């Protein structure tokens, strides 16, 4: 399986202790250019307090392309606070040159009806269009999530008649019990705007897995992320793969270990 290296992206979650410049340097050393920035890093800010001009100077220096800001949460429970935060994130995405904003559903064991999720998409879509930012809806496979199914999210986007696309996350695909029944026959591969990759070696029951178990890819990965990617390639996916591990052990990884882990994961995908 040969995937063009320009299709690989690094989510900043893999390097929680690195400054933005050090993170960009690491990505550049790997011969890569695409990154996902986040609004849930220790500093609490997408740009760590750098101005838009300062950040753009760094992206120019290291030839970095910001694919997304991750994430607007919970996008499907609209209130004044959510709309204010959406506006701020969209403005920031536009200022720093990010292409897209990831949108995550409520993940707290509270039901949100499909119609409410559809209405939220319709309410948010004009704001995304105003700023020229792509909306990427990411179903979360956790049992407490209000939107677990990629296929259902695809259907709601179509019914809402909004230009959003999907984030397929191999971890969340694995967590959702009906994914393999729904996905192969019903997914429109053209609707996938981004794929998140991680690996899990923990053997506890699937329903007990959390973000804490998410590391990088390996031969022992219970998510079978490499197999998931091979199927996506066979189905014709031509988009970006972003590595998004979450475990707290990442805080102990040195830059050299981060690079080693990324190189090894890419090697597994290219085998």
């Amino acid at each position: 399986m040969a995937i063009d290296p320009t299709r690989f992206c690094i989510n900043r979650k893999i390097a929680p202790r690195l400054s933005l410049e050090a993170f960009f340097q690491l990505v550049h050393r790997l011969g890569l250019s695409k990154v996902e920035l986040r609004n849930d890093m220790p500093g609490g800010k997408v740009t760590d307090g750098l101005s838009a001009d300062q950040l753009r100077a760094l992206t120019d220096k290291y030839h970095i392309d910001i694919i997304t800001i991750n994430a607007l949460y919970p996008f499907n429970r609209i209130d004044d606070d959510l709309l204010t935060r959406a506006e701020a994130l969209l403005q920031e995405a536009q200022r720093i040159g990010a292409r897209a904003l990831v949108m995550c559903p409520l993940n707290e064991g509270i039901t949100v009806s499909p119609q409410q999720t559809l209405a939220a998409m319709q309410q948010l879509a004009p704001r995304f269009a105003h700023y020229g930012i792509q909306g990427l809806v990411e179903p979360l496979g956790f049992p407490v999530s209000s939107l677990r199914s990629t296929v259902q999210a695809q259907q709601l986007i179509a019914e809402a008649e909004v230009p959003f696309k999907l984030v397929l996350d191999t971890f969340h695909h694995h967590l959702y019990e009906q994914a393999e029944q729904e996905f192969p026959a019903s997914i429109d591969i053209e609707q996938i705007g981004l794929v998140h990759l991680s690996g899990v070696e923990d053997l506890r029951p699937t329903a007990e897995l959390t973000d804490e178990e998410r590391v990088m890819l390996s031969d022992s990965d219970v998510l079978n992320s490499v197999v998931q990617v091979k199927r996506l390639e066979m189905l014709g996916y031509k988009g970006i793969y972003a590595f998004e591990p979450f475990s707290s052990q990442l805080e102990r990884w040195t830059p050299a270990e981060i690079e080693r882990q990324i190189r090894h994961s890419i090697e597994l995908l290219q085998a």
Side-chain angles (χ1 to χ4, degrees):
M1 183 168 61
I3 300 173
D4 191 313
T6 61
R7 294 172 60 196
F8 292 121
C9 174
I10 309 300
N11 189 296
R12 198 183 175 199
K13 201 71 173 177
I14 198 173
R17 295 177 60 191
L18 296 186
S19 68
L20 265 175
E21 181 165 15
F23 175 59
F24 291 166
Q25 288 172 336
L26 182 148
V27 173
H28 186 67
R29 285 197 301 272
L30 288 162
L32 305 176
S33 62
K34 294 179 172 61
V35 303
E36 282 194 279
L37 300 186
R38 307 187 65 90
N39 61 345
D40 61 352
M41 299 302 288
K45 295 184 178 179
V46 173
T47 65
D48 292 0
L50 298 177
S51 69
D53 287 343
Q54 288 171 321
L55 184 66
R56 282 181 175 269
L58 289 178
T59 58
D60 289 345
K61 180 177 180 180
Y62 298 107
H63 309 289
I64 295 296
D65 183 8
I66 302 173
I67 300 303
T68 78
I69 294 175
N70 194 333
L72 176 64
Y73 173 86
F75 85 88
N76 59 343
R77 193 161 76 170
I78 297 284
D79 58 19
D80 289 343
D81 174 67
L82 186 281
L83 292 175
T84 298
R85 289 188 290 110
E87 193 79 12
L89 281 168
L90 289 166
Q91 289 176 1
E92 186 152 33
Q94 185 185 64
R95 284 196 302 268
I96 67 176
R99 298 190 203 174
L101 175 60
V102 174
M103 308 158 65
C104 293
L106 187 66
N107 185 47
E108 299 173 18
I110 299 170
T111 299
V112 178
S113 72
Q115 191 59 40
Q116 286 174 294
T117 297
L118 184 154
M121 292 179 183
Q122 291 176 326
Q123 192 166 352
L124 289 167
R127 291 171 165 83
F128 278 77
H130 175 75
Y131 290 103
I133 303 299
Q134 174 69 61
L136 296 174
V137 176
E138 180 174 12
L140 303 179
F142 296 118
V144 296
S145 171
S146 62
L147 180 61
R148 305 182 69 198
S149 166
T150 303
V151 169
Q152 183 187 28
Q154 173 183 276
Q155 293 168 343
L156 291 173
I157 289 170
E159 291 174 23
E161 299 182 324
V162 294
F164 295 153
K165 291 196 172 186
L166 299 163
V167 177
L168 173 66
D169 186 299
T170 58
F171 173 74
H172 290 295
H173 179 89
H174 179 78
L175 293 191
Y176 174 50
E177 300 86 354
Q178 302 303 314
E180 284 301 305
Q181 285 73 34
E182 297 176 359
F183 186 87
S186 301
I187 195 65
D188 176 1
I189 208 71
E190 297 297 324
Q191 274 299 106
I192 299 176
L194 181 67
V195 175
H196 279 159
L197 303 178
S198 58
V200 171
E201 297 181 349
D202 196 297
L203 297 179
R204 76 186 67 189
T206 299
E208 295 179 15
L209 294 176
T210 70
D211 281 330
E212 179 59 28
E213 284 72 62
R214 296 175 64 178
V215 288
M216 291 292 277
L217 308 191
S218 74
D219 291 325
S220 303
D221 174 24
V222 301
L223 309 181
N224 291 316
S225 288
V226 172
V227 173
Q228 290 195 48
V229 168
K230 286 182 178 179
R231 178 170 62 187
L232 289 167
E233 291 292 296
M234 182 184 68
L235 291 172
Y237 179 65
K238 302 296 184 186
I240 295 168
Y241 294 103
F243 294 106
E244 190 195 38
F246 259 84
S247 173
S248 61
Q249 70 178 263
L250 306 177
E251 296 177 9
R252 301 190 295 272
W253 287 2
T254 64
E257 177 64 11
I258 295 170
E259 290 185 45
R260 189 191 72 78
Q261 291 276 352
I262 293 171
R263 290 186 193 279
H264 180 61
S265 293
I266 290 175
E267 288 170 3
L268 290 173
L269 291 168
Q270 301 288 34

